[in-house]
Every structure is written in C-alpha cells, then in structure tokens.
Amino acid sequence: MVGEPRIRIKGGKPLFGEVAISGAKNAVLPILAASLMSTGQCQIKGVPRLTDVQMMNEVLSTLGAQVSWEGESLIVDASAAEIREVSADLMRRMRASNLVLGPMLSRFGKVRLSHPGGCSIGSRPMDLHLKGLQKMGARYQERHGFFEVEAERLQGTEIHLDFPSVGATENLMMAASLAEGTTIIRNAAKEPEIVDLQNFLNAMGARVRGAGLDIIRIDGVNRLGGCVHHLIPDRIEAGTFMVAATITGGDVTLTNVIPEHLEPVTAKLRETGARVIEEDDRIRVIAPRRCQAVDIKTLPYPGFPTDMQAQMMALMAVSEGTSVISETIFENRFKHVDELRRMGANIRLEGRVCIVKGVPSLSGAVVECTDLRAGAALVLAGLAAENGTTVEKIFHVDRGYDQLVEKLSGLGARITREEG
C-alpha cells in the first residue's frame, strides 16, 4: 500500500550461513513493566529494537520513568514515577501494556488503565489478572472502557489460575513481589520468559521461586532496588529462522540460543526430516530435499508454541503429504490461511483445525500481514515461492523481529524492504 512499508522477496534461494538471535520480545516487555517497581536504576542488556519495546518505553515515560538507550541496553530509572493515566491510544497499540497493572498497583495502590490492544488473534481477557488481584485484596470497577483498580496494600494469598495464562502469571508475580506476606500461584504458566522475569525481580531484591514450574511462591518485600540483567534470547525468532532454513532447503547455524527452549520446534522439524544439531548456545539446521508433513497442536509451554503455528503452516504448505494443524490457544489465529492460499497453498479450515495438503511449490503474490506471526509466515512462504512476493503491512512484523530483512539478507535471501 502507498505510504506503508513493505517487503519484497524473490524466492527460490536456499539460505546458508550464521545468524545471531536477538533478546526475547516476550521477556523484555514484562521486565520493563517490572522496572516500574524499582526505586533504583535498572540496566537491561541485549534488548531488541522493536516497535513493541518502543511503545512500552513510551508507557514508562508517560508514568514519569526515565528511559534511555546505551547500545543494546536500556537504562530505566523509575524512582520518580508517579500515578498518571496512560493514554487509551497507547494502551490500544500494544497488548503487553496491560503488564503495568500489577507493578503500578503494588507500588502506588491504585491504577486506571484502558483496555489493551495488540494483534487481533483472539480473545485475551483480563479476568484472570483481575480475579487474582481481587484475591490479594484489590477492588476494581470497569467503566467507560477503563479498569480502575485500588488496594491500600496487596495481601499475600493463594491463587489458582483457571488457565496457565502467561500475562496473568506475570502480572500477579510482579504485584505479589511488593505485597504483604506470601503469595502462591497455582497452575502458573511455565514459559522461559516467566523464569527470566523471576530472575529480574530477584535481582531487584524480590523473593520469587518456582518459575518454570506450575506453582510459584512469592514472599513479599517492602522495596525493590536497581539491578543489571541480561535478557534471554528470543525462542520464537530462533524458531522462525529454523523454519526459514528448512523451507528454503538451506543450512543455517543460529547463535545466541538456548536449545532447551526450542525443544518442541526442534522435535517437529526433526519429524519433517530436517537435521537439527545442538551445541551449547548454537543450533544448526540442515534441510532435507523436501520435508514430510507432520501434525501440530499448539499448547501452553512446554507444548508447541502458538507463536510458531503460522510459520510451521508455511512449511507444511510445501511439504510432502497432508498435515493437521490444531490451534488450542487463540481462536482467530488462522488469518494467514487466506494469504497463503493466494500463493497457491492447499489449506482447508475447519474451526480451530487446518488441513494442509502440501504442494510442490508456492507462487509469488501480493499478500498482507494480519498479525505479527502471520507476517513472519508470509515472509517464509515468499522465501520458498517461485517468482516475486510482496508482503504488505509489515508494521506487524516490526513489533517482534529485530532487523529481519537484514538478517535474512545476510543468509543469502533476495529480500528488500521498502519504506513506502
């Protein structure tokens, strides 16, 4: 579209070489929110330059925190932060903006926020966050599109989540860190980003343990100070590059990865016939001549990540045989199906299940990103397609991938970005 950035790809070229994976988007956003609780200065190392990070920085600045870049580090000083209202427009632009709820409530005793936005991939209600905070003594009301939440001081309690929600687990962990007494979260999310948040909170002086398991215990403290923390690598960016190597018939080595975080993706790629070689903080992916179809069902961690479903669908579209892809996390996360069909994919959608019959090759087309991971899938499809592909509305991709075009180009992809 005129005036909007787009990516142009001339596909059919295998990817070869080495690529460094950036810090984790889904780790840095809650960590930035948690920095609001610190009375000192926090240095967060290895931060990716993403639009979601920039928007979270704007949220923190709106609340009176000082945020600055030093190379690949973010320096956050929230000692002068105060109760202010974050604009509805800023909240609507990013789902993760809701992560300031727990930190603001625990530090200031009250918060007023509008409904958060982000990718329209399905319903991600706030009820688990609010029910947990209520159990800790918070009072809230919802009116005119805003949440108004108050508590003199949150009280430790036991909380059982109906679903292992990542956002709710993170918000409640942060809120409980400055609560009075002990909080136990049962059926907690187990994602690696939860563990990274625990490590950051503890570096500030919190007393959190159990992250990565389904029961997390938080002993509240009176204050949190500054710290230095290095982000974990982004497992979804890593998974995307693993699929990029496979879908193009290439041979790519990823550096700055934690192989254990990628086990569900690695297992599925090995099923397709790809060779995946793991060493310390590196993973090498060697593609077969043509992949075999595999079935995929998204599940909470350590199951197959919903954030990798679209990318794997692109791979299945050119694999030998028929695959069944089931989405159990978000009900609207199949918007990329129509765009892949434009490129010649044979996909039948039945509710939350897709039947993908592999075709020998895809054809280049003009396609449109509908959300972050759908955009990544379309770029991958373009890399494997015959002729040229244009991917429009790539601002979605910029939310979660740091220098995607440059990194793919460094592996030999014929890919360029146009700013409109």
Side-chain angles (χ1 to χ4, degrees):
M1 296 177 69
V2 176
E4 289 188 352
R6 63 183 65 84
I7 290 174
R8 295 195 189 276
I9 308 162
K10 188 174 181 182
K13 192 170 188 296
L15 301 185
F16 293 100
E18 189 171 287
V19 62
I21 299 304
S22 302
K25 163 189 177 287
N26 290 334
V28 70
L29 298 178
I31 283 172
L32 284 171
S35 69
L36 280 170
M37 299 189 295
S38 171
T39 56
Q41 185 182 88
C42 297
Q43 181 181 8
I44 307 160
K45 296 185 174 183
V47 179
R49 299 268 183 162
L50 309 172
T51 55
D52 265 13
V53 170
Q54 182 56 42
M55 282 188 276
M56 184 60 90
N57 290 349
E58 288 181 42
V59 170
L60 299 186
S61 297
T62 295
L63 297 169
Q66 294 182 340
V67 186
S68 60
W69 286 95
E70 284 187 8
E72 291 187 356
S73 295
L74 269 176
I75 312 298
V76 183
D77 185 342
S79 57
E82 58 186 20
I83 305 169
R84 299 179 188 173
E85 188 174 301
V86 180
S87 74
D89 175 65
L90 192 52
M91 291 291 295
R92 278 194 299 267
R93 284 159 57 197
M94 181 180 60
R95 178 69 192 180
S97 56
N98 68 356
L99 291 171
V100 300
L101 174 59
M104 289 181 67
L105 184 63
S106 64
R107 179 168 176 185
F108 303 123
K110 65 192 313 185
V111 59
R112 183 174 188 262
L113 297 172
S114 72
H115 284 274
C119 287
S120 55
I121 57 176
S123 132
R124 294 186 277 188
M126 291 290 295
D127 61 321
L128 295 180
H129 305 241
L130 294 168
K131 280 169 62 177
L133 292 172
Q134 271 189 305
K135 287 210 69 177
M136 298 172 73
R139 304 174 301 279
Y140 86 92
Q141 56 182 342
E142 186 179 351
R143 56 184 181 181
H144 310 305
F146 282 82
F147 295 106
E148 296 179 0
V149 192
E150 293 187 8
E152 283 73 28
R153 186 178 182 190
L154 295 171
Q155 302 296 311
T157 187
E158 287 204 19
I159 300 168
H160 190 289
L161 295 176
D162 296 333
F163 175 83
S165 159
V166 174
T169 300
E170 291 168 341
N171 243 331
L172 296 172
M173 280 173 64
M174 292 185 284
S177 294
L178 288 175
E180 185 173 353
T182 298
T183 300
I184 296 174
I185 305 171
R186 300 186 185 277
N187 196 31
K190 304 175 186 177
E191 274 72 3
E193 295 78 15
I194 304 284
V195 179
D196 210 31
L197 176 60
Q198 171 183 275
N199 293 339
F200 178 75
L201 290 168
N202 288 347
M204 290 196 296
R207 298 171 62 194
V208 185
R209 62 184 186 272
L213 306 174
D214 59 0
I215 299 176
I216 299 175
R217 179 188 175 105
I218 308 103
D219 296 316
V221 298
N222 291 322
R223 65 179 294 276
L224 296 173
C227 71
V228 177
H229 178 78
H230 201 294
L231 284 178
I232 59 170
D234 195 311
R235 63 193 171 97
I236 305 303
E237 182 193 7
T240 300
F241 275 94
M242 291 170 74
V243 174
T246 310
I247 200 171
T248 62
D251 181 347
V252 173
T253 297
L254 286 64
T255 63
N256 187 38
V257 294
I258 299 176
E260 292 80 7
H261 293 173
L262 289 153
E263 286 176 355
V265 176
T266 297
K268 283 299 172 186
L269 287 179
R270 284 176 172 157
E271 278 186 50
T272 72
R275 287 181 61 202
V276 183
I277 303 166
E278 302 172 345
E279 331 170 342
D280 298 330
D281 62 349
R282 299 162 65 90
I283 292 179
R284 182 181 177 189
V285 180
I286 306 169
R289 184 167 299 173
R290 189 182 182 196
C291 287
Q292 298 299 308
V294 297
D295 294 339
I296 295 162
K297 183 177 184 180
T298 65
L299 290 166
Y301 191 85
F304 192 88
T306 180
D307 278 352
M308 283 299 303
Q309 176 255 108
Q311 299 92 308
M312 284 297 290
M313 186 181 293
L315 176 59
M316 292 301 95
V318 292
S319 296
E320 181 79 42
T322 300
S323 60
V324 178
I325 300 178
S326 306
E327 175 58 62
T328 72
I329 309 296
F330 295 120
E331 67 271 21
N332 294 333
R333 201 154 207 179
F334 281 140
K335 293 185 176 181
H336 45 279
V337 168
D338 286 341
E339 303 304 302
L340 289 171
R341 283 171 174 161
R342 290 177 193 269
M343 303 179 71
N346 184 346
I347 305 172
R348 187 171 80 253
L349 177 58
E350 298 178 357
R352 288 195 176 197
V353 176
C354 275
I355 314 299
V356 185
K357 186 175 182 181
V359 296
S361 64
L362 297 174
S363 301
V366 178
V367 291
E368 187 175 286
C369 297
T370 54
D371 61 71
L372 166 56
R373 305 306 175 185
L378 296 175
V379 170
L380 296 179
L383 292 172
E386 297 174 346
N387 306 316
T389 297
T390 300
V391 184
E392 297 187 332
K393 293 195 173 179
I394 61 164
F395 58 85
H396 286 295
V397 175
D398 294 338
R399 290 186 46 239
Y401 291 92
D402 187 6
Q403 303 290 306
L404 179 64
V405 169
E406 291 80 359
K407 288 181 178 182
L408 288 170
S409 181
L411 296 172
R414 294 172 292 192
I415 182 170
T416 57
R417 179 187 177 107
E418 295 180 359
E419 292 303 328

